[in-house]
Amino acid sequence: MPNSPSGDPAADPLLSRRALVGGAAAVAGAVIFATLPGGAAGQSAPPAPSVPSIPEAPPDPTKVLGAPTSATSGRSPFVVTGRSPTGAVSGSSFTPLHQFTGNITPTDLQFERHHAGVPTIDPTSYQLLVHGLVGREMVFTLDDLMTLPSVTRVHFLECSGNGRVGYKGIKPDLSPQNIDGLLCNAEWTGVPVSTVLAEAGGVRKEAQWALAEGGDAALLSRSIPLSKLQDDALLVYAQNGEPLRPPAGYPVRLLLPGWEGNTNVKWLRRLELNREPNMSKDETSKYTDPLPGGKARIFSFDLDAKSTITYPTWPNRLVGQGWVQVSGLAWSGRGRITAVDVSTDGGASWIEAQLQGTSSPRAAIRFTHMWKWDGAPATLMSRAVDETGYVQPTFAEFRAARGPGTDYHYNHIRSWKVAADGGITYGGEA
């Protein structure tokens, strides 16, 4: 995908935005990224989790000098956390949802999912081709994108297979990380796709879809309706205030707020505008959901409202009777979360939980509920309601609608059983 060889934008069908704009601003972007680590994660077996050594804390920290300043900070050695990777090259790493608080996922704990490993892409040679039914076909460098007006928004991102083990692999010793760890909520910075399409001379009237293709060895591609691209889609290059990390799509990924994770194509290298969907392997043999009666659901982009309790859950144990703060996360691909209800008696009764902060469209929000445990066995549940009036379904309702063979978009209510001795296990179908 070379730039226009003649240097005359008006004469060449494939135009480089650098040729049109150029200038010091683009060079500034190159300088910024030239100083950043560009190496991708290894494409061999995942490394064994490291266990930090725990130093001996002084009896009175006010009586001794502390550690010196450092180039980058790390977590306290008393905090042990980490993702849970699966697979060698193609696989997933699950976010430890039960080990942090607040609404934003720490960047290094964001889940990852890829089909052919994490590619190593040099930011100085990165190019995005925009072609097909546009006014003029163009190539954008990373510098080009960084000089365009940017926006910063908070949105959740969720793999379409998130929750599979809580539906098909039910067992007591499952944590929120095991079940719903293919989820993150982050602050994203990038350029609206609508801006890039305008730079490319606009969209021809017959265009209805676009093929988004990644630059990894899997060449993952998805067909995206043009309406979504022009509505709220972003080409993001930063997350939580820093450049995207390689597993998250460095240097540029597509972000489609509220849509299933695989449509948010990472390492994006091409947007081709078309009349019809491409029907690629990633939307026919994969990510098409089998339903009862021999039917299948395809192009089910929006993620339904969902919630999950993150504390108390397995492997926690309540140490005594008294007040317990039940806490969790809720999100919806169709807008804001308006309410989260919590039940402590297996769904016999519900009470509205407190939302922590202001609910934003297609962003996760934390909920809390103070519960006084009397020492008796209990079953904890949560259900989310979004601004469309949609209510998170029970396990039975979900199974009746989707069948046992469904393979994506598991948003049924989760339950957690509290035993009289304080032990907590995943409740499965309760």
Side-chain angles (χ1 to χ4, degrees):
M1 295 181 289
N3 288 341
S4 171
S6 71
D8 179 4
D12 294 313
L14 182 60
L15 299 180
S16 161
R17 187 176 185 278
R18 183 185 297 277
L20 290 175
V21 180
V27 175
V31 171
I32 292 172
F33 273 81
T35 62
L36 300 173
Q43 298 192 9
S44 57
S50 60
V51 179
S53 59
I54 299 178
E56 183 177 352
D60 185 352
T62 68
K63 304 301 182 185
V64 297
L65 291 176
T69 56
S70 57
T72 57
S73 64
R75 291 186 173 81
S76 164
F78 299 96
V79 176
V80 179
T81 188
R83 299 182 299 187
S84 53
T86 63
V89 174
S90 174
S92 306
S93 289
F94 291 70
T95 297
L97 297 178
H98 59 302
Q99 290 183 327
F100 63 84
T101 60
N103 295 325
I104 298 296
T105 308
T107 305
D108 62 338
L109 296 180
Q110 176 190 323
F111 81 95
E112 62 176 299
R113 172 75 177 107
H114 41 75
H115 297 260
V118 179
T120 299
I121 299 176
D122 184 344
T124 63
S125 59
Y126 169 79
Q127 293 183 327
L128 169 65
L129 172 64
V130 179
H131 66 135
L133 299 176
V134 291
R136 53 177 177 264
E137 298 183 343
M138 291 185 65
V139 168
F140 294 80
T141 66
L142 179 58
D143 298 332
D144 293 335
L145 295 175
M146 292 184 68
T147 58
L148 292 173
S150 65
V151 298
T152 297
R153 302 177 190 150
V154 174
H155 292 297
F156 77 87
L157 185 65
E158 182 182 23
C159 176
S160 58
N162 201 30
R164 182 178 289 118
V165 70
Y167 189 73
K168 292 186 172 180
I170 297 172
K171 56 181 182 178
D173 54 342
L174 291 176
S175 71
Q177 179 178 24
N178 301 139
I179 300 171
D180 290 312
L182 297 178
L183 168 78
C184 74
N185 193 55
E187 181 188 80
W188 307 93
T189 298
V191 183
V193 174
S194 58
T195 299
V196 172
L197 294 177
E199 288 281 310
V203 177
R204 291 166 58 179
K205 62 180 182 181
E206 59 268 37
Q208 295 296 320
W209 291 77
L211 180 72
E213 182 181 80
D216 61 333
L219 288 176
L220 187 144
S221 63
R222 288 301 311 262
S223 297
I224 311 298
L226 178 61
S227 57
K228 181 65 174 179
L229 294 180
Q230 292 180 318
D231 180 16
D232 60 358
L234 300 176
L235 298 174
V236 297
Y237 46 75
Q239 175 186 6
N240 294 341
E242 65 176 16
L244 286 177
R245 298 194 179 192
Y250 180 82
V252 175
R253 75 175 302 162
L254 182 62
L255 186 75
L256 305 176
W259 283 26
E260 60 180 5
N262 65 85
T263 63
N264 295 254
V265 177
K266 297 186 285 189
W267 317 293
L268 186 69
R269 72 169 194 169
R270 189 162 71 92
L271 279 176
E272 179 184 7
L273 272 67
N274 300 308
R275 294 178 176 81
E276 299 175 344
N278 183 270
M279 307 304 286
S280 71
K281 69 180 190 313
D282 297 304
E283 54 205 21
T284 52
S285 67
K286 301 180 184 297
Y287 302 118
T288 287
D289 199 359
L291 297 176
K295 298 182 178 180
R297 194 170 75 164
I298 191 171
F299 296 130
S300 50
F301 296 128
D302 288 311
L303 291 166
D304 295 321
K306 183 173 175 180
S307 69
T308 188
I309 293 173
T310 57
Y311 182 85
T313 55
W314 187 88
N316 303 126
R317 175 179 293 274
L318 302 182
V319 295
Q321 299 180 28
W323 289 103
V324 177
Q325 179 173 262
V326 178
S327 178
L329 292 167
W331 60 99
S332 173
R334 294 192 170 89
R336 293 177 174 83
I337 289 294
T338 55
V340 178
D341 300 322
V342 169
S343 174
T344 59
D345 54 13
S349 63
W350 297 87
I351 188 168
E352 186 169 342
Q354 298 292 317
L355 298 182
Q356 303 299 308
T358 302
S359 184
S360 299
R362 300 173 180 86
I365 188 166
R366 183 161 294 278
F367 64 88
T368 59
H369 170 66
M370 295 305 298
W371 168 51
K372 193 171 186 179
W373 184 48
D374 60 5
T379 300
L380 308 180
M381 307 169 83
S382 67
R383 67 181 182 194
V385 182
D386 70 18
E387 62 181 331
T388 70
Y390 179 91
V391 180
Q392 187 178 357
T394 66
F395 188 101
E397 291 169 339
F398 181 86
R399 191 179 181 90
R402 301 281 297 283
T406 192
D407 211 27
Y408 301 103
H409 314 105
Y410 304 94
N411 77 315
H412 57 84
I413 292 173
R414 285 84 170 90
S415 63
W416 303 91
K417 293 182 179 297
V418 181
D421 66 358
I424 301 172
T425 53
Y426 180 57
E429 301 185 30

